[in-house]
Amino acid sequence: AQSVTQLDSQVPVFEEAPVELRCNYSSSVSVYLFWYVQYPNQGLQLLLKYLSGSTLVKGINGFEAEFNKSQTSFHLRKPSVHISDTAEYFCAVKKSSGDKLTFGTGTRLAVRP
Amino acid sequence: KAGVTQTPRYLIKTRGQQVTLSCSPISGHRSVSWYQQTPGQGLQFLFEYFSETQRNKGNFPGRFSGRQFSNSRSEMNVSTLELGDSALYLCASSSLGRRDRVYHEQFFGPGTRLTVL
């Protein structure tokens, strides 16, 4: 079975500062990796995904993530955050295209002016 | 294309009652998955339907059930509601085929927030 650990439940950061949200996963097989964002009272929106190939993946809203197989990590980064990035971010894995998503517990990003 | 729609958006029930939630997938999508989101347990997979058949099931009691209709719309039902069933229930659809190996993105609806009193 797969599992996902998001090491930080909350990350406060000032506007225009860089941010990194950490995600580690555990799986005995190859997996697909995802980051989703959830704004208040809304569903989940896909930020980016790693399926194969280049380990650095770029997503929407200026976010990027790097897949590190040896460290089983998939950390999310943004060089300069905006107030509008305040939301909950979820890391997720699935072992194949037909499998369910397994989510981490989420990281609440709070961007301060 | 219209996104995934879920109805109702908000629901208040009392313990012991039952509830039915509805999900309309994106047009052309045949796979529908349901997730429960709570502050304590986070996001947990409930079940997935494809072509009116349950294809995958999470670790939830039998009080949680679902079905899918020929037009791919799906419903989930929770019987004998408990306080712990209060949650945001999210539905996601994808164009996933029967058992193909190609990745198909899951698109999430806004969710139904269920409050059990």
Side-chain angles (χ1 to χ4, degrees):
Chain A
Q2 303 82 249
S3 66
V4 180
T5 302
Q6 290 184 246
L7 299 162
D8 306 298
S9 59
Q10 292 188 67
V11 173
V13 63
F14 288 107
E15 194 174 19
E16 298 183 7
V19 71
E20 177 180 84
L21 306 185
R22 296 180 293 171
C23 171
N24 286 87
Y25 70 94
S26 172
S27 177
S28 57
V29 299
S30 296
V31 294
Y32 299 151
L33 294 155
F34 308 85
W35 275 98
Y36 286 87
V37 61
Q38 185 177 37
Y39 299 102
N41 298 316
Q42 293 188 29
L44 299 173
Q45 181 183 10
L46 181 65
L47 271 179
L48 48 78
K49 61 185 180 288
Y50 172 78
L51 305 182
S52 65
S54 173
T55 57
L56 182 64
V57 293
K58 294 191 182 297
I60 61 171
N61 301 342
F63 284 93
E64 64 180 33
E66 185 156 19
F67 169 59
N68 188 318
K69 189 173 182 179
S70 62
Q71 298 188 2
T72 59
S73 67
F74 191 55
H75 301 332
L76 181 71
R77 302 186 184 99
K78 185 169 183 177
S80 175
V81 296
H82 301 133
I83 296 287
S84 59
D85 292 324
T86 295
E88 186 112 25
Y89 292 79
F90 293 92
C91 182
V93 303
K94 63 183 341 190
K95 63 181 180 185
S96 70
S97 61
D99 193 35
K100 63 180 172 69
L101 284 163
T102 299
F103 289 92
T105 50
T107 296
R108 185 171 299 277
L109 177 64
V111 182
R112 304 169 178 174
Chain B
K1 257 185 186 178
V4 178
T5 58
Q6 293 187 244
T7 56
R9 290 292 312 278
Y10 301 91
L11 205 49
I12 299 175
K13 291 284 187 179
T14 56
R15 278 181 299 175
Q17 288 187 307
Q18 75 162 17
V19 68
T20 299
L21 312 181
S22 180
C23 171
S24 293
I26 291 171
S27 177
H29 285 189
R30 296 167 66 190
S31 169
V32 174
S33 298
W34 288 89
Y35 293 84
Q36 181 197 64
Q37 184 178 19
T38 60
Q41 300 297 317
L43 278 152
Q44 294 188 290
F45 172 76
L46 279 156
F47 25 66
E48 182 212 357
Y49 286 87
F50 179 83
S51 290
E52 303 177 65
T53 302
Q54 188 181 87
R55 188 161 64 173
N56 210 346
K57 188 177 189 307
N59 189 25
F60 277 81
R63 300 186 297 108
F64 292 81
S65 62
R67 58 178 176 168
Q68 186 180 34
F69 302 95
S70 59
N71 62 358
S72 294
R73 188 177 70 87
S74 177
E75 289 181 347
M76 67 163 281
N77 184 78
V78 188
S79 61
T80 320
L81 283 166
E82 300 177 359
L83 295 179
D85 297 332
S86 294
L88 181 67
Y89 290 88
L90 293 166
C91 164
S93 76
S94 81
S95 57
L96 181 65
R98 288 202 173 276
R99 285 292 177 195
D100 65 47
R101 309 288 294 174
V102 177
Y103 167 74
H104 294 267
E105 181 177 340
Q106 282 192 328
F107 293 85
F108 283 82
T112 294
R113 184 165 295 283
L114 171 65
T115 301
V116 182
L117 303 176

